[in-house]
Amino acid sequence: MHKSLSRRLFLQGATAAISAASMAGVAKVSAKEINRPVPLYGPPPGIAKLNANENPYGPSPAALKAMMEASQKGAYYVFDSVMRLKTMIAERHGLTPDHVTLGSGSSAGLAAAAIVAGRKGNILGPDLFWDTTSRVVEIQNLGEIKRLPKLESLAIDLDAMYAAIDDSISMVQVTNPNNPTGMLIDPIAMRNFCVKAAKKCTVLADEAYNELTDNSDANTVIPLIKEGHDIIVARTFSKIYGLAGMRVGYLIAQPEKIAEMERFGLGWYGLNQAGLAAAIASYEDHQFMDYCRNKVKEAREMVSAAVKENGLTALPSVTNFMFVNLGDLNAETFRAEMEKEGVLIRGIYRDYTNWSRVSMGYLEDVKQYTSALPKVLHRMS
Ligand SMILES: Cc1ncc(COP(=O)(O)O)c(C=O)c1O
């Protein structure tokens, strides 16, 4: 959906109250901090927000319509919509609804999985992965995250990972495709690893970016759950569905594991009617997903070309972000310099001081990145 098309469809169905609400979204923040009005619900005009792997083409027109309807019933706690979405997800994979739990984004489920694991042992992961939620085990002194040594390729070595599962490990976590690298694991290797590893401990496969890959069904390990393995798969409506701000994600696992995790912040109370409505309306919207996937590909081609033209390299991403090798430049300085050009990207991850992650947003925002790139590199040289 183009920016203007999605806006037009939204406005067609909007009530006066909704229009007034969106006007109210432009509020003044402290004049001392920022001397101009900033929108509350997204980036200010002229700012290319490429720092959080969001999909600005969402919400889809169908999701916007459903949210409007659901918001009018916002007085009521969620229930039927939760059951509907759980059932849709379960049926899609030939499972029962008790194999599925929903949360406020997949973060809620991932954090619950980490807490359950942390109470029994440590979590094992590669050196670099989306560990924001797993860190809860360290914050709460439950256990630690054990990490594999870094590989030069920044790929995940599944053999080394399997070998590292000792008695202290209660859960092994694989983000596939990985964030921030954007790289995908070979599906057969992933499947074999999961089957073996799940005999030793729980396997958590964070598949937040699965639907952005060319063959999402081949790249998921959800079928292994149907076969009875101790595997948790985390998915989200925040990425390809363009609903990051609506906060809906889910976990699929064995029913007893789901029940165990639901004791830690999952289930009804973290969910909201509008987010559920958007998720239900988007779940099987393949036309919208194809549209977004193509836009992301176009954006990746633009970034790849710019990276090459400027003498840099990037990892082969299958996602809506790319991990760019800045050579001997510092990624935090680069981030700050890009910000001066109105381009928001990520700074340093752990000790990967020369690696910079950029998300694929609107093509015009990606163009702002590619235009700023030579200027910033020149200033930093
Ligand atoms: C790999 C991965 N998993 C999970 C999340 C959490 O997203 P959410 O809580 O919006 O589902 C993110 C967010 O960027 C992510 O990159």
Side-chain angles (χ1 to χ4, degrees):
M1 220 66 23
H2 188 267
K3 214 182 227 181
S4 58
L5 172 59
S6 146
R7 177 161 293 266
R8 211 165 50 237
L9 284 159
F10 173 69
L11 288 175
Q12 270 168 14
T15 60
I18 299 269
S19 308
S22 58
M23 291 294 289
V26 183
K28 283 244 182 224
V29 294
S30 153
K32 212 170 150 209
E33 269 172 48
I34 300 173
N35 242 339
R36 57 186 163 76
V38 294
L40 282 180
Y41 304 123
I47 298 295
K49 188 174 184 310
L50 305 174
N51 59 356
N53 300 346
E54 293 141 328
N55 168 15
Y57 294 100
S60 71
L64 287 169
K65 189 166 168 284
M67 281 194 268
M68 220 128 27
E69 194 188 327
S71 300
Q72 286 163 14
K73 300 288 177 190
Y76 301 100
Y77 284 117
V78 297
F79 182 77
D80 292 328
S81 49
V82 171
M83 287 315 297
R84 170 72 67 86
L85 184 57
K86 275 169 76 154
T87 305
M88 285 171 82
I89 294 167
E91 281 177 358
R92 165 91 174 71
H93 297 287
L95 296 164
T96 55
D98 57 356
H99 286 88
V100 182
T101 186
L102 306 180
S104 176
S106 58
S107 303
L110 288 162
I115 292 170
V116 167
R119 286 156 66 101
K120 298 175 190 166
N122 296 320
I123 296 176
L124 175 68
D127 188 51
L128 195 56
F129 68 109
W130 197 78
D131 59 7
T132 310
T133 46
S134 302
R135 277 192 258 127
V136 71
V137 298
E138 293 178 339
I139 294 162
Q140 296 197 5
N141 291 322
L142 293 171
E144 56 177 301
I145 304 176
K146 294 207 167 166
R147 295 172 191 269
L148 294 179
K150 234 188 229 179
L151 286 189
E152 211 184 309
S153 65
L154 270 63
I156 299 177
D157 181 344
L158 292 178
D159 291 334
M161 196 164 234
Y162 180 71
I165 306 174
D166 59 27
D167 289 346
S168 78
I169 303 296
S170 56
M171 184 170 84
V172 60
Q173 184 161 347
V174 183
T175 312
N176 187 39
N178 201 6
N179 178 10
T181 67
M183 292 193 292
L184 180 71
I185 297 171
D186 170 72
I188 312 242
M190 179 66 179
R191 194 196 132 84
N192 292 342
F193 166 79
C194 287
V195 169
K196 275 196 310 181
K199 293 188 176 32
K200 291 202 199 178
C201 67
T202 300
V203 177
L204 171 58
D206 181 352
E207 297 186 350
Y209 300 96
N210 164 276
E211 300 89 345
L212 280 153
T213 69
D214 278 339
N215 189 347
S216 61
D217 285 343
N219 292 317
T220 182
V221 290
I222 294 174
L224 297 179
I225 297 171
K226 198 173 175 193
E227 290 174 23
H229 299 281
D230 181 14
I231 295 171
I232 305 168
V233 171
R235 290 278 187 98
T236 182
F237 285 90
S238 299
K239 305 303 175 185
I240 197 160
Y241 296 102
L243 295 172
M246 301 314 299
R247 311 306 301 132
V248 187
Y250 57 99
L251 298 180
I252 304 183
Q254 301 305 330
E256 56 280 9
K257 183 66 85 181
I258 292 286
E260 201 180 357
M261 292 186 292
E262 281 189 336
R263 287 165 40 222
F264 300 97
L266 294 173
W268 319 101
Y269 287 107
L271 293 158
N272 72 92
Q273 210 64 278
L276 288 161
I280 291 167
S282 306
Y283 187 54
E284 296 287 2
D285 190 346
H286 294 286
Q287 200 185 346
F288 176 71
M289 286 196 270
D290 288 346
Y291 178 86
C292 295
R293 216 176 281 113
N294 286 334
K295 286 289 178 199
V296 164
K297 272 190 196 157
E298 215 174 321
R300 280 205 311 258
E301 278 161 22
M302 287 164 68
V303 174
S304 297
V307 158
K308 201 166 160 202
E309 270 161 33
N310 287 281
L312 302 175
T313 56
L315 294 180
S317 168
V318 295
T319 60
N320 62 340
F321 54 90
M322 291 181 77
F323 212 30
V324 179
N325 186 343
L326 298 174
D328 52 11
L329 298 182
N330 179 285
E332 178 50 30
T333 316
F334 180 70
R335 186 206 61 73
E337 289 298 323
M338 287 301 257
E339 191 174 342
K340 291 182 193 158
E341 302 296 321
V343 180
L344 309 183
I345 54 169
R346 281 295 304 261
I348 296 174
Y349 283 85
R350 293 168 58 75
D351 61 347
Y352 294 72
T353 53
N354 61 328
W355 286 91
S356 164
R357 194 195 74 181
V358 54
S359 308
M360 306 299 112
Y362 283 124
L363 297 185
E364 52 265 39
D365 292 342
V366 174
K367 179 82 189 89
Q368 198 167 327
Y369 173 90
T370 58
S371 305
L373 188 60
K375 273 194 258 174
V376 166
L377 292 177
H378 182 70
R379 270 209 304 271
M380 285 176 71
S381 63

